Structure formats: C-alpha cells, structure tokens
Amino acid sequence: MATFPSTGATGTPRDLLLKVTPPRVPRHLVSRARLLSGADALRDHAVFVVQAPSGFGKTSLLAQWRLEYLGRGMPVAWVSAQNHDDPGRLVQSLALALRVAMGRPAFGRSVLEDDRPGNLGSATALLSELTQAALDVVLVIDEAERLPPTSREALAYLLRNAPPNVRTLIATRPDGRLDIEDLVAYGQCVEIGPALLKFSLAETLQLVQARFGARIDRNTAARLHELTEGWPLGLQLAMTIISRGTDAHAALSGMTATAGELQAELVRLLLVNLDPDDRDFLVRIAVLDLLHPDLCRVVSGAEDAAARLARLSNDTPVFAAAEGDDWLRMHALARDVLRQRFSALDAAEQVAVHARAAQWLAAHDLLDEAARHALSAGQYQAAYELAERSLYESLMRRGRQAAVLEWLAQMPAGELDRRPRLLLAVAWTLASSERHEEAGRFVARILAQPGVSDALRCECALILGGAAVFADDPDRFVDLHAPWTEAVPLTDPLLLQSHANRMAYHALLEGEPALARLRQQQAMRGHVGHGIDYVRRWSELVIGLSYAWEGQVLLAEQLLRPAVAGAEAELGRRHRFSCNLAALLAAVAWERDLPGDAATLLADRLDVLEHSGLPESLLQAYRTAARIAAAEGAEHRALELLNALDAAGAARRLPRLRIASLAEQVRLHAQRHRAQTCRELCERIDAQLADPTLPQGPLWRRSVEMLRDVARAHTAIAARDWPDALAQLARADEQARQCKQGGLHIELLGLRALALERCGQPAQALLREAIDLARAYGLQRVFSDAHPDLGAWVGTLAAESAQPEIAALPPAPAAPVPSVPRGAVLTPKEGEVLALLARNLSNKEIGRAMQAGETTIKWHVKNLFAKLDAGTRSQVVQRARILGLLGPEH
C-alpha cells in the first residue's frame, strides 16, 4: 500500500487537543451578507479555500462560518495546522476534531490507534468512516500554509476523495498552495481572496455602526474606510484607537496626521519584528506607487528583490492589492509610514533612488511616474519633458486631473508656454472644476500661438464648452457648440468622443433626452478607438442624466450602478468623476426608496462635489442628502444641508443652486403648513431673480423660473389656498412637459389632484393616472416627497385597490390569538435559544452555536419552560408560534 512520507512524530490524541479547539468569534464581528455561508455564491460547493496574506481576517471568517453551520445543526470540526504536522499527525488531528464535533467517542478509533498513521490507508479509513457516519459535517483547517508539502499532498488527497456529506473550509496564505486547481476548474472548490475579504464601504458603515452607534456619522465612517481601504487589520486597529477616546473626529484626525497613532501601531506591528535588511528594502521601495520585482531590484540595489518581495507579501500585510501578474501595490497606511523613514535617509541617497526609479520607469514607457521621480531627483528639464509627453494622454485616457494640477503648481509659467500640449491638459483640467474661469485664460494663451489649426480651435471650443457647463451657463454652452455641430475638423478618437458627449448634452438642454441617447449611441458605433474609456464614461453620465431627466429611474439605476462600480474601481471612490456619477445614482436610489443606498453613495463625497461637481450633480447630492435627513426626522440637519447648498452656490457663483436651495426649503416648510416662512422664502427667490447681473439666456431663465413656480405652488399649498395652488401647479407643469421632465410632471400631477380634491372637484382619475405613471417609471417616493397628505392619499388608494383581491379569497375561520402575557416577554438570549430550539438542536449544539456553556443553555431553556407554560421542548416551540414569538422562517 502506498504511503505518505512522514516528517515527524505523530503524537497522541492528548497532544492534539489544543489543535482541535476552535477560537472564539470576535465580539464586534459583523456578518457580511456576501460572505455568509448560505450566500448564493457559496452555498453549493464542497471546498472553500480562503487565501490571503495576514491581516485579512481569514480565521475570523472561518470562525463566523463555524457558528453559522452550528446554528443549522451541523457538527463542525476545527483543526489549526502546525509546522510539524506530517501526514500522519494531520489525519489524526482531523479524526480527533471530528470525534469531538460529532460527540461520538468511538469515531476515528482505528485512525487514532494506527501505528503507521502516515499510511494512505489511514486517510482512506477516515474517509470511509465519514461516509458511514450518515451525517453532514463541516471540516475546518486553519493556517494550512504551515503544513509541510507532504501533508498538503495528503490534504489534497482527502479533498479529492471526500464523500458528499463533507464540506471543507481551509484558510491559508498565498504561499500555501494545495494543488487542487482541478477542483476549482470543475466548480467543486471556491477560492476567496483579498479582494473579497476587504470590506466594502457599506460593510464598513455597518461595522462602525455596530461598534460605535451614533458616535460616528456616515461621513466619518466613510473617511475611515478610505483611510484603511477596507483592509480588515487596518479597520480593526483604527476602531481600537477610536474606542480609547471620546471624540471620534479628533481620533480620526490624529490617525491621518503625520506620525499619527494608527501609523505608530503599524510601525509596531509591521516593522519592529522585521529583519533589518527587509526593513531597509521596504523603506527604499516605498517611494514607488506600483511595485515590480525588477523595478524594486533597481531601486533598492537588492539582487534578490523578486524573492524578497514574494516572501514579504506572504509574511506581512504590507501589500494591499495586485495590479497585474507581476505588479503589487503597497497599502497606503504602511507606505506612508515607510515614506516617513525614507525621508530620514541621507539626501544624496534619496536623490539616487529617485533617479534610478525615473530611468527604469521611462525605459518601460511609464512616463507619469518617471516624470515625478525625475522631478524629485532634481532632473527638472527631463521631468518637464516627460510630463509633456504623458500628462495630456494621462488626463484624457485616465482622468488624472490631480496630477495635472500638481504639475501646474510646480512648473514655471515659461515652461508651460513652451509646451502647448501641457497648456491643453491644464485647460481641460481647470474647465471641469470650480476654477473654470481660469481655463479661458489658458485657452487664450493657446490660441495666441502661431499656426493654430481648425482642429485645435475646435478642441478649444470643447474646453470652453466644458467650462460653461461647470459655470451652469447653458446658453453660453450652446453658443460655443453651435459652430461645430456640422463639420467637425477632428480625427483623434478621444476628441471625437468628447464632441459626441457635447452633442448629446446639447440635445438634453433643448429638452430632448431621447435624442441625447440616440446621439451617444451613434457616436459609440462610429468612433471606436483604443484607450478612450475615460472620455466614454462621460457618455454614461449624460445617458444616466437623460433617464433621470425623464423620471425613468429604473433605467437610470440599471445604467448607473455598474457605471459607478466601474468608475470607483478604475479611478477611486473620491475621484471627481466617480463622485459626479454617484450623486446622480444617489438621487435615483432615493426615488427608488433605497435610502440606505443613497446615503452610502453620498458618504464623504459632498466636499469633492463642492469643488469639482457638475452643478446638477451638486444640486442632486445636497437635495438628496437633505431629504434623507428629513425622512430620518432630523429636520434641522436637512435645513443645514440646504443652507450649505446655498453657500456652495454662492462660493462657486452658481445662482441656480441658490434658488434651488430656497425652493427646496419651501417644499420642506410647506409639508408642515408654515405659510409665512414659505412666503418669505419665495420673496427671496424673486429678489434673486430680479438681479440684473444674473444670466439672461432663455435656457437658464427657463430652469430657474420652473423652480420659482413650483415654490409658489408649495407656498399656496402651505396656506391652503387651493385655487392659487392649482394655477401655479398648472404653470409649472406646462414647463415640465415642454422640457420632458417626466419625474417632475408626475409629481405635479399628484399635487394637482390633491388641490382639486381639496377644492371639492373630481380628482381620483387624475391621481390614479399619476400613480400608474410613477409605477411604470419606478418612482416610489415621488408622492410622499411632494407632500405627506398626498402620500397618505396614495397609500389609501393602494390599499383600496388591493381590497377586492383579498375579498375574493375564501374566508378563513377566525382563530383567537392569545395576547402575550407580560411574564412571557423574552430576553435577547432567550430569543436566540428559542430560535435554535425551533431547529431541533440539542442543548450542546445550541451552546456551540452561541459560544456558551451547556449549563447556561439549560438555564435559558428552563426559563422558557416557565415563561411559556410548557412541559416539553416541542411545546415551547408550539406555544412560541401561537404567541407570535417565532416568525414564519422558524
């Protein structure tokens, strides 16, 4: 019979007891829906391999899964692997763990008493006993990377031959490969890596809420997520630091400061125990944003850089993510600590490191990074030349506005004038920000140069048109775009796509959202070019805006959700474009009655939008945030947000946003019938509109006059002046229909029906039409947001519409439901015990699931017997169902 070679003594069951003792689940662990053992992606597989460096919560996830399986009544065997676990000791450990988990003292006796446990026959015997057990079991093997190669072969043998009643969960570091790619290929094994183990923003918010409650708001939690990049160890350290103090905001500020407390913790965890050579290696490569083995060799001077990098990526949690087969990225928190140490090196050595990095990066056509390192090395002319070659492409293809602004701050003006392509990059960047007025001065410098072609003039018109959009001046945008609507002297696919985006936006401003989408579709068919993903992403924003303009929020959500996810993955969550897309999706999510999604989308983004947001995105973001606050009962917070919108409009000289802020305040006060306050706000709107310095173009005036008319209608509703409300609503609705603003039209239909009903006129037919339209478009909050009375009326009609269906059902005999006596109110722990009793679990199994002793569980069961006046466990469950203490799921 074949055998596995032995690498050490097998030991006795007594020696193995510590290995089969599972860890306790951390007290503040939050179950993540996508990583629950019963999630759709994880439910139907036999083997799960959780593979990631240290610090990613592998053991915590296995411990959480253990509790979930115990809660279903499945025995879970736990084995913590060790370096000296030869195949024999591994098989004996598994046998003992299974014996303990199943509570069967005779299980695995032949394996545990085998004189040659390294023999393949002992592994086969274990599998045979598992097959005969006729019981679904879960086997957990933690820290499998510690197993020697022969034991990994034994484990692979067990996995390939495991019976159908066995599910295996394995945690290992990246260097602990098990050679079971065939199981992965055939769908029998699921691999869970660092990308899945990292916390998403929503999960971070849930974790922080569970730990700190109202002490930390969404914005602070989102900043914490941004700081740690969802890294489980980083989050754990950060929350430990916050829990030590009373002021979460101050604690977070201290973490982000130079040499802050979080960085100090990282130094203690990551650097103190490192070999000095490894520490020096990390310090020198920390100046690099992306890490390649050969680049690290050149920069550090270490010939074994590739092997050292591979080893450190396995042994430390320094490296947060991979950027391709050969590229790594250092976690930002660790990189900041290491860069502080780099800055303490001799100045000449720092210069040499940057110079070597610049040379390697330039030779490999990574010009952005090469230019930055050349500048740090004092090679100014080389840096400017590299920047000129790279920044325009980097901006247009990857949206790196921040890099352009950094160079603008560091490069002498004379150098810019000698480099027209850099002038274009700067003009494009400034045009799409609060500094849009500066873009015009750079365009003038470009056009003042000799030999300006029509293509360059057209590109400058695109730049100025973008500045007009960010200035909220639609009439100027149309005038700039008009000369280039027919013959377009452009050949660059990037610029052709930009021109198509402008054509679509022009159609939208003219009140033709369907035409805007058609023009985008035609451009996508006609101008396919390499590397235009970033410019094309703007077309997704325009199309999403066109759907939202029409009120088609179902279609908008379908388009925008993947667009936001893609933008965040490629550009970053706080990139200006990601924030613009997210603001629009948040407004759509709110209309779909998904307030949690909307709040998450806006968390820690309003400050970016204040400086870099499209006026419409900024308006949608603040209005949605205010409505969320009002719905949560925080009216003071809603008014504060609307005042912040007014302040942002004033700072950026966007008067429409100031008027929109006042109009939204009118809506909020009208819902509480504060007629005098509404009148005063309307007077402020009229005073602003009378300012002769405001834009006078027809497109801009139409947009603000619609806001004014809606505000006047709400003022009339607040005063219960229903005839005047009808007149104002009809005027606003006429403009909404002309502009094809479908969502606003449906809202105004509902308000008109309410006004008609209060005037004693027939109104139900009109309201039902509005309800049908809202249902077709997916608008679920439109009526409750418009006015509480309208929302209540719609709810009543919906209940009446459902009544005939209920009446058509055969009447069921009424059964008296006894009220729950005061003495039968259960404690939270008793409720948990009751739920597990309903699954027919024994006291021992309930204790394992709840991480409590069997004596404690017996005490809770005894209390349940007394409170529910029951004599048996089944009577406890039956009485609990009758009293409504157990839901249908139990």
Side-chain angles (χ1 to χ4, degrees):
M1 181 177 291
T3 63
F4 297 111
S6 178
T7 60
T10 60
T12 65
R14 185 181 302 275
D15 300 322
L16 302 175
L17 284 175
L18 188 59
K19 289 170 51 60
V20 301
T21 302
R24 294 182 65 87
V25 174
R27 185 175 138 207
H28 297 291
L29 187 68
V30 171
S31 296
R32 296 185 272 172
R34 62 190 173 86
L35 289 178
L36 292 175
S37 60
D40 291 341
L42 305 176
R43 185 183 301 130
D44 301 321
H45 299 275
V47 181
F48 300 87
V49 178
V50 184
Q51 194 163 27
S54 61
F56 278 87
K58 300 185 295 296
T59 300
S60 295
L61 179 61
L62 294 188
Q64 173 187 315
W65 282 350
R66 172 179 172 271
L67 289 189
E68 292 171 19
Y69 285 118
L70 287 174
R72 297 179 209 161
M74 298 172 66
V76 182
W78 185 286
V79 173
S80 297
Q82 295 175 350
N83 295 329
H84 55 274
D85 282 340
D86 61 15
R89 184 179 173 86
L90 174 63
V91 173
Q92 286 191 330
S93 300
L94 296 174
L96 180 59
L98 288 164
R99 171 186 289 187
V100 172
M102 293 189 290
R104 297 183 179 181
F107 183 88
R109 178 174 296 166
S110 62
V111 175
L112 291 166
E113 296 177 355
D114 191 347
D115 292 335
R116 299 176 60 205
N119 190 293
L120 181 59
S122 62
T124 306
L126 179 63
L127 293 173
S128 177
E129 282 203 63
L130 280 172
T131 304
Q132 296 170 10
L135 183 68
D136 288 335
V137 298
V138 179
L139 184 58
V140 181
I141 303 170
D142 192 22
E143 299 183 308
E145 75 280 352
R146 295 186 174 188
L147 294 173
T150 53
S151 297
R152 294 183 202 172
E153 292 176 20
L155 179 56
Y157 171 82
L158 290 168
L159 296 177
R160 288 191 177 91
N161 295 280
N165 61 321
V166 176
R167 181 169 295 183
T168 309
L169 318 177
I170 301 171
T172 179
R173 292 186 183 181
D175 57 340
R177 302 298 300 179
L178 297 175
D179 194 24
I180 53 172
E181 285 75 11
D182 54 326
L183 297 182
V184 177
Y186 287 112
Q188 299 174 30
C189 174
V190 173
E191 291 184 318
I192 298 173
L196 284 175
L197 293 174
K198 287 174 65 173
F199 277 70
S200 68
L201 173 61
E203 291 166 347
T204 299
L205 294 178
Q206 181 187 4
L207 178 67
V208 172
Q209 175 68 26
R211 181 78 178 268
F212 299 106
R215 278 184 58 196
I216 297 184
D217 59 24
R218 291 189 189 98
N219 286 334
T220 305
R223 285 195 291 276
L224 183 61
H225 178 81
E226 187 78 15
L227 175 68
T228 61
E229 301 180 19
W231 183 30
L233 176 60
L235 279 171
Q236 180 183 344
L237 289 174
M239 290 194 299
T240 299
I241 293 168
I242 290 174
S243 66
R244 295 173 188 162
T246 58
D247 188 341
H249 297 276
L252 187 61
S253 299
M255 280 185 243
T256 56
T258 302
E261 193 172 356
L262 185 55
Q263 281 84 350
E265 291 283 352
L266 282 169
V267 169
R268 182 180 63 80
L269 286 173
L270 305 179
L271 303 181
V272 170
N273 296 321
L274 279 180
D275 181 271
D277 289 341
D278 287 341
R279 191 183 310 127
D280 291 342
F281 174 76
L282 289 175
V283 166
R284 280 159 180 76
I285 67 172
V287 297
L288 304 169
D289 288 336
L290 294 177
L291 306 173
H292 185 278
D294 191 52
L295 173 59
C296 293
R297 178 187 62 80
V298 170
V299 167
S300 67
E303 291 302 321
D304 64 342
R308 194 184 294 266
L309 197 61
R311 175 171 53 78
L312 289 172
S313 66
N314 287 322
D315 295 344
T316 70
V318 166
F319 303 97
E323 302 287 351
D325 292 339
D326 297 323
W327 292 88
L328 294 174
R329 181 173 63 85
M330 194 177 289
H331 193 284
L333 283 173
R335 187 183 63 206
D336 291 345
V337 173
L338 293 166
R339 283 183 177 176
Q340 291 173 25
R341 296 206 166 193
F342 179 82
S343 64
L345 296 177
D346 180 74
E349 186 174 359
Q350 294 183 45
V351 167
V353 167
H354 283 296
R356 292 196 295 268
Q359 184 177 7
W360 191 97
L361 291 164
H364 290 79
D365 290 327
L366 298 169
L367 304 183
D368 285 2
E369 292 81 359
R372 181 173 62 82
H373 285 288
L375 189 67
S376 298
Q379 301 171 355
Y380 298 112
Q381 287 305 313
Y384 299 153
E385 290 172 7
L386 288 167
E388 182 180 19
R389 290 168 55 193
S390 65
L391 277 184
Y392 182 86
E393 295 292 319
S394 178
L395 169 70
M396 302 298 283
R397 296 183 188 278
R398 291 186 284 164
R400 296 191 61 184
Q401 289 98 336
V404 176
L405 292 175
E406 287 176 10
W407 280 99
L408 175 62
Q410 298 179 73
M411 189 176 292
E415 291 290 342
L416 274 176
D417 285 325
R418 286 196 293 271
R419 306 177 191 279
R421 205 158 177 80
L422 276 180
L423 283 176
L424 279 171
V426 171
W428 274 107
T429 299
L430 294 175
S432 57
S433 73
E434 62 180 343
R435 299 171 62 180
H436 49 80
E437 291 181 358
E438 294 179 51
R441 294 197 288 273
F442 281 91
V443 166
R445 289 162 67 176
I446 295 167
L447 295 177
Q449 297 184 1
V452 176
S453 65
D454 285 344
L456 185 56
R457 292 183 188 279
C458 184
E459 182 173 359
C460 287
L462 290 175
I463 294 171
L464 294 176
V469 172
F470 275 82
D472 202 25
D473 192 345
D475 300 280
R476 174 168 167 74
F477 169 84
V478 170
D479 291 342
L480 286 164
H481 183 70
W484 310 101
T485 54
E486 300 298 333
V488 185
L490 300 172
T491 56
D492 187 336
L494 287 164
L495 298 178
L496 286 170
Q497 181 64 54
S498 296
H499 184 266
N501 294 345
R502 299 291 198 274
M503 292 284 287
Y505 191 70
H506 184 196
L508 190 60
L509 290 176
E510 297 288 352
E512 297 293 343
L515 179 59
R517 292 192 293 272
L518 177 62
R519 286 180 173 170
Q520 287 287 11
Q521 291 163 4
Q522 291 171 340
M524 290 178 183
R525 289 195 297 267
H527 303 133
V528 178
H530 175 69
I532 62 172
D533 287 346
Y534 175 69
V535 178
R536 183 163 289 174
R537 286 188 184 278
W538 282 93
S539 71
E540 295 175 332
L541 189 147
V542 174
I543 294 174
L545 188 58
S546 75
Y547 281 131
W549 183 291
E550 290 179 316
Q552 290 274 18
V553 293
L554 286 171
L555 296 173
E557 182 183 23
Q558 184 179 353
L559 172 80
L560 290 171
R561 280 204 184 276
V564 169
E568 289 181 349
E570 182 178 338
L571 305 171
R573 187 177 183 274
R574 280 172 59 83
H575 188 277
R576 61 178 68 188
F577 179 75
S578 301
C579 292
N580 276 283
L581 266 182
L584 184 55
L585 179 56
V588 167
W590 175 254
E591 294 291 353
R592 296 276 294 117
D593 200 18
L594 300 170
D597 285 6
T600 300
L601 284 161
L602 293 177
D604 197 29
R605 275 174 160 153
L606 291 180
D607 61 321
V608 177
L609 290 167
E610 286 175 357
H611 299 290
S612 307
L614 287 164
E616 189 62 26
S617 299
L618 185 56
L619 169 58
Q620 295 283 2
Y622 269 104
R623 185 158 60 191
T624 302
R627 292 186 180 184
I628 292 171
E632 292 174 345
E635 185 183 5
H636 64 287
R637 173 64 177 153
L639 291 171
E640 179 190 21
L641 285 163
L642 292 175
N643 286 325
L645 173 61
D646 178 73
R652 284 184 52 177
R653 294 191 293 280
L654 302 173
R656 181 171 69 96
L657 269 60
R658 304 193 67 188
I659 293 168
S661 168
L662 294 171
E664 188 67 15
Q665 291 179 58
V666 170
R667 174 199 294 263
L668 188 60
H669 289 296
Q671 292 178 352
R672 291 156 180 78
H673 295 285
R674 298 167 183 156
Q676 181 58 36
T677 302
C678 291
R679 282 192 288 269
E680 292 171 358
L681 290 168
C682 279
E683 289 171 2
R684 289 174 59 186
I685 292 175
D686 291 337
Q688 288 197 24
L689 286 175
D691 185 349
T693 64
L694 294 187
Q696 300 300 316
L699 293 176
W700 190 87
R701 298 298 298 188
R702 183 180 66 186
S703 64
V704 293
E705 286 169 1
M706 192 184 310
L707 291 169
R708 178 199 61 195
D709 291 343
V710 173
R712 287 176 175 175
H714 280 290
T715 299
I717 291 172
R720 296 181 174 85
D721 187 349
W722 301 110
D724 184 40
L726 278 172
Q728 300 292 347
L729 289 167
R731 184 179 298 109
D733 193 26
E734 176 63 25
Q735 294 185 56
R737 286 187 289 110
Q738 287 180 0
C739 297
K740 298 184 181 177
Q741 292 194 12
L744 180 58
H745 168 62
I746 293 170
E747 175 187 325
L748 296 173
L749 279 183
L751 288 172
R752 284 173 59 194
L754 178 66
L756 285 170
E757 189 269 341
R758 296 300 165 87
C759 289
Q761 300 180 36
Q764 278 207 12
L766 183 62
L767 182 60
R768 290 187 185 278
E769 180 178 341
I771 292 171
D772 286 343
L773 287 171
R775 185 180 299 115
Y777 286 10
L779 295 162
Q780 298 184 23
R781 293 198 60 96
V782 61
F783 302 121
S784 57
D785 276 351
H787 198 279
D789 293 350
L790 177 59
W793 188 17
V794 169
T796 301
L797 287 180
E800 291 174 356
S801 298
Q803 198 63 36
E805 299 176 13
I806 297 172
L809 296 174
V817 179
S819 60
V820 181
R822 178 173 294 275
V825 176
L826 307 182
T827 67
K829 288 293 184 184
E830 289 167 353
E832 291 182 48
V833 172
L834 177 61
L836 295 172
L837 274 178
R839 298 180 184 177
N840 297 318
L841 300 189
S842 67
N843 287 350
K844 181 180 290 187
E845 291 169 330
I846 293 173
R848 288 174 180 166
M850 295 179 61
Q851 296 192 103
E854 191 172 355
T855 303
T856 302
I857 300 303
K858 287 180 180 178
W859 178 261
H860 289 313
V861 172
K862 179 181 177 182
N863 289 340
L864 288 171
F865 275 42
K867 290 184 176 182
L868 298 178
D869 192 23
T872 65
R873 296 162 74 93
S874 61
Q875 286 179 357
V876 167
V877 175
Q878 186 178 17
R879 287 280 296 163
R881 287 200 177 100
I882 293 173
L883 296 172
L885 299 177
L886 280 174
E889 67 274 14
H890 298 115

